[in-house]
Amino acid sequence: MSCVKPTFLQRFTAPVIEPYARYQHADVLHAIRLGVAVILALLVNKVTNFPHGEWTTITVFIILGLLQYQGAIYTKAKERVLGTLLGIGAAVGIVWFSQGVGTWLWVDYVIIGLMSGIIGYLAIRNLGYTGLLTGITMLMIVSDLGQSPIGQDGIYRALNILLGTGLAVAATLILPLKSTLMWRFLLASNLDACSNLYARVGNHIDTAEELIDGAVQYVNPTVFAVDGVPVNKALVTELQQINKRLLAVRPHMAATTSESGIDKETIESIQRTHRNIIGTIDLLLTAAPRLASIEIDEDNHILLIHYQHELTQVMQNMAAVLRSPSDEVFRPITRITLSEYPSVENLGFEWQGYFWLTQTLQVQLQQLSDLLQETKPQWFAASGLRYQRREQRRIEKHGGETDLHL
């Protein structure tokens, strides 16, 4: 790892140049991009001078307002364009039919109601947001059939929606945030955080044996209340941050599936294993205080130290591979197999349970490593060659994984 201190210019330009820095400042960059997109929409309205130009800015805000990442934005834009075009098509059909029936306005209303019902049914069944936009666009054009036979205002509204959609898609090229990269970085951040928490469990067990019982009560890392042991608020905060990132992964999964081609079931399996790893580490942290006063022989203690050290290193390695622009391979989890150490079965119940939880963590990390390695060609390619090449050149120039200590 390079220890080159970043310059002020590098720190200032990092969110613009480096995708990982962009991920860390995603909220601010999203706000900047949305503001720029709205200004562009206003300028387009000024130049085109179309009636109902407010729909251009409204559409930009609808698409970009709650979406930060390219995959999700493209999906929303595609649904909006398709819904608008289908709505125009449905409206044109109704207008054509109304010209044939003459002044029988009630027939027009029946047809509009029937079409609305069909579109609503399809929206619930499979069209979703596309169906909703189809109905809205159709009604914008045909609602004033009695006054405007060609629905001119509705046509202009639909045109402005298409313009706004194009501007929203174009805005994603300003400081782009790819869902696949964000998915990788969120998972990497949680693996790093989990490795730090897990290392603290090992350090605590080593330290606790050297302290008197009264002092142990103040160094035990625990999340839930244990008799005589205060809850560590800093640890609770760290776990809350980990769970917050776990939840933040969920909105990226559908877009990552679309960008990378990884099937939905595999993405769900990765997320489920990710969640299980956090849960197991939570249990290990909760179990640690109860072990402070329970003896363990030196051989098994050394085994546990090596076991925990290897699993900690594995989590750090997995995080580094996920962040790396290079085509690296996930390292083996560990060579330790508890079945080869029968002395563990002679330990007290609490220590056997702790070893069992550690073995469970090993199995879960192996599952996650296998899933990530199996899908690596897809999520690595979906991250973008531009990102990979630029990051690789920067790393070679500075001789380390990162020169901004990210």
Side-chain angles (χ1 to χ4, degrees), residues 6 48 82 93 109 119 122 153 180 209 216-217 254 261-263 266 292 311 328 335 343 399:
T48 59
L82 186 58
Y109 289 170
I119 292 170
L122 293 175
D153 285 350
T180 302
E209 295 184 349
V216 167
Q217 295 179 358
I262 301 172
D263 61 88
T266 303
L311 295 184
E328 299 180 13
R335 293 168 294 184
S343 59

Side-chain angles (χ1 to χ4, degrees), residues 37-61 156-165 167:
V38 169
I39 291 172
L40 290 175
L42 291 171
L43 291 174
V44 168
N45 288 340
K46 189 70 174 177
V47 172
T48 59
N49 203 29
F50 289 151
H52 303 291
E54 69 276 3
W55 279 96
T56 305
T57 49
I58 290 171
T59 300
V60 167
F61 214 99
Y156 274 119
R157 290 191 188 104
L159 178 60
N160 285 317
I161 287 173
L162 294 176
L163 279 174
T165 302
L167 287 171

Side-chain angles (χ1 to χ4, degrees), residues 35-332:
V36 171
V38 169
I39 291 172
L40 290 175
L42 291 171
L43 291 174
V44 168
N45 288 340
K46 189 70 174 177
V47 172
T48 59
N49 203 29
F50 289 151
H52 303 291
E54 69 276 3
W55 279 96
T56 305
T57 49
I58 290 171
T59 300
V60 167
F61 214 99
I62 288 174
I63 294 177
L64 295 181
L66 292 176
L67 300 175
Q68 296 173 276
Y69 307 101
Q70 284 180 314
I73 290 171
Y74 291 163
T75 299
K76 188 89 166 182
K78 181 178 67 176
E79 291 173 343
R80 197 161 182 85
V81 168
L82 186 58
T84 300
L85 294 177
L86 288 174
I88 292 173
V92 168
I94 292 174
V95 169
W96 174 81
F97 181 82
S98 69
Q99 291 176 343
V101 297
T103 58
W104 292 359
L105 194 60
W106 65 271
V107 176
D108 295 336
Y109 289 170
V110 169
I111 296 298
I112 291 171
L114 181 62
M115 287 295 295
S116 297
I118 293 173
I119 292 170
Y121 175 80
L122 293 175
I124 292 174
R125 295 287 293 182
N126 50 23
L127 287 181
Y129 185 69
T130 300
L132 178 66
L133 261 295
T134 300
I136 290 173
T137 304
M138 179 190 73
L139 292 174
M140 284 195 307
I141 297 174
V142 302
S143 292
D144 58 349
L145 274 178
Q147 292 76 34
S148 177
I150 60 172
Q152 188 176 29
D153 285 350
I155 291 292
Y156 274 119
R157 290 191 188 104
L159 178 60
N160 285 317
I161 287 173
L162 294 176
L163 279 174
T165 302
L167 287 171
V169 171
T172 63
L173 302 176
I174 304 172
L175 305 174
L177 297 167
K178 289 181 72 70
S179 289
T180 302
L181 277 174
M182 300 305 112
W183 173 78
R184 286 172 58 180
F185 294 155
L186 284 166
L187 182 53
S189 294
N190 259 7
L191 285 168
D192 260 340
C194 285
S195 73
N196 291 334
L197 287 180
Y198 188 53
R200 286 173 59 182
V201 178
N203 294 338
H204 156 71
I205 291 175
D206 293 339
T207 305
E209 295 184 349
E210 302 173 4
L211 301 175
I212 60 173
D213 291 342
V216 167
Q217 295 179 358
Y218 296 96
V219 297
N220 281 331
T222 183
V223 182
F224 303 106
V226 178
D227 292 340
V229 182
V231 172
N232 187 324
K233 293 182 179 179
L235 190 61
V236 172
T237 301
E238 288 185 47
L239 277 171
Q240 286 175 342
Q241 290 299 316
I242 289 173
N243 283 312
K244 185 178 179 180
R245 281 190 293 266
L246 174 68
L247 293 175
V249 171
R250 175 63 61 180
H252 295 289
M253 291 169 60
T256 298
T257 298
S258 175
E259 290 177 0
S260 65
I262 301 172
D263 61 88
K264 183 178 179 181
E265 290 75 16
T266 303
I267 288 285
E268 287 288 350
S269 296
I270 292 173
Q271 178 74 345
R272 184 167 53 253
T273 308
H274 177 192
R275 183 174 60 248
N276 291 342
I277 288 169
I278 295 170
T280 302
I281 291 176
D282 195 346
L283 291 173
L284 286 163
L285 289 166
T286 306
R290 298 179 173 86
L291 301 175
S293 59
I294 302 174
E295 293 184 357
I296 182 173
D297 61 274
E298 184 178 356
D299 289 341
N300 281 317
H301 186 213
I302 292 173
L303 169 63
L304 181 61
I305 291 172
H306 285 294
Y307 205 177
Q308 291 186 320
H309 178 72
E310 289 202 14
L311 295 184
T312 300
Q313 292 294 313
V314 161
M315 283 185 270
Q316 293 173 353
N317 170 261
M318 291 171 70
V321 173
L322 280 166
R323 281 194 299 264
S324 175
S326 304
D327 191 5
E328 299 180 13
V329 178
F330 293 94
R331 58 172 282 187

Side-chain angles (χ1 to χ4, degrees), residues 356-367:
W356 177 81
L357 281 174
T358 305
Q359 186 180 39
T360 300
L361 179 61
Q362 174 189 347
V363 171
Q364 291 167 345
L365 288 171
Q366 185 66 63
Q367 290 173 345

